[in-house]
Amino acid sequence: MQAEQIKKRNKRYDKYVEAVSPKTAMLPSLAKSFWVGGLTCVIAQIIFELYTLAFPSVSEQAIIGFTLSTIIIIAVFLTGIGVFDKLGRYAGAGAFLPITGFANAMASAGMEFRSEGLIFGSQVKFFSVVGPVLVNGIVWSTVAGLIHSIINAVVG
Amino acid sequence: MPIILDKILLLIIVFAVGGLLCAIAQLLVVRTKISPARILVVFLIAGIFLETIGVFRYIREFAHAGVTVPIIGFGASLAKGAIEGAKQHGFIGAFSGGLTATALGIGIAVVSSFIVTLAFKPKTK
């Protein structure tokens, strides 16, 4: 009896929350993410093509590394001059899903906590956002490697 | 001439795939209120999974920067490094390979963030 009342009350409250919370217009926000994210990838691809022309003897893997490094440096610089924050507010996932967003998360957290000191402010906060990405990335890729080495051992 | 057309087609594919991934992530943000950090982790693990089962190679050949630039590509190169490390050095390689493969990106990100933190003061808060 009481449980049911609580359930009803919760439902009413959920409805209320839904009614008062600001609605993000869905389609425009998807479109913004789409074109900013897509453009980021296109810029990277163009840089990749230019590097391939400039360094024809270097392996494709290394050129991908140079390309990602380049866009990371650009993103961190844009974070420094305050442009990337605006881009992030505008594009949402279009700004944070590419590797540029990873770099921005690191740099902006570092800048934000500069006032609390260089070591215990900035440098501690460097990994406050990207920490989960690194931890999960390292753990699960190690698992992937172990699975493959077990398969290699069993199959020979 | 056909080479230029090929390149333009490639850029269109890169734009479409990269954009689509970001739009899917944005859909998750808008619809489910999952925090961006979690979405990053989900895409990262998706990349690791796709690389582990050997599918990501074909996706990369198709979409190039469209999948290597989003965080899914970071996951894939971590997994690729770990798998190749495991092949070359056995169990030890599984632990070292992922970081070795992504060391350049992480190193650049940390060093450039450090420099920017020293050089710039935050503008808006």
Side-chain angles (χ1 to χ4, degrees), chain A residues 33 45 49 93 97 99 123 148, chain B residues 7 26 52 65 69 71 82 114:
Chain A
S33 297
Q45 185 68 37
E49 302 288 348
L97 195 71
I99 197 78
Q123 294 172 10
H148 273 255
Chain B
K7 292 294 177 199
Q26 182 68 12
T52 307
V69 171
I71 201 83
F114 179 77

Side-chain angles (χ1 to χ4, degrees), chain B residues 5-122:
Chain B
L5 281 181
D6 273 0
K7 292 294 177 199
I8 290 171
L9 181 67
L10 175 64
L11 289 182
I12 292 169
I13 291 171
V14 167
F15 182 75
V17 174
L20 192 66
L21 285 172
C22 295
I24 292 169
Q26 182 68 12
L27 186 68
L28 289 173
V29 171
V30 175
R31 263 294 159 86
T32 61
K33 315 258 184 231
I34 302 174
S35 70
R38 284 216 176 141
I39 289 169
L40 282 180
V41 171
V42 168
F43 274 78
L44 177 87
I45 290 175
I48 293 174
F49 178 74
L50 290 174
E51 183 68 46
T52 307
I53 62 172
V55 175
F56 198 84
R57 194 172 2 138
Y58 302 105
I59 303 174
R60 182 165 36 217
E61 272 165 23
F62 173 70
H64 293 264
V67 289
T68 53
V69 171
I71 201 83
I72 195 168
F74 183 69
S77 54
L78 272 168
K80 189 167 176 243
I83 291 164
E84 276 170 8
K87 231 178 238 161
Q88 282 169 8
H89 310 293
F91 282 105
I92 298 294
F95 290 90
S96 64
L99 282 175
T100 308
T102 53
L104 178 62
I106 296 174
I108 293 271
V110 171
V111 173
S112 58
S113 294
F114 179 77
I115 293 169
V116 160
T117 307
L118 288 181
F120 294 94
K121 294 256 141 62

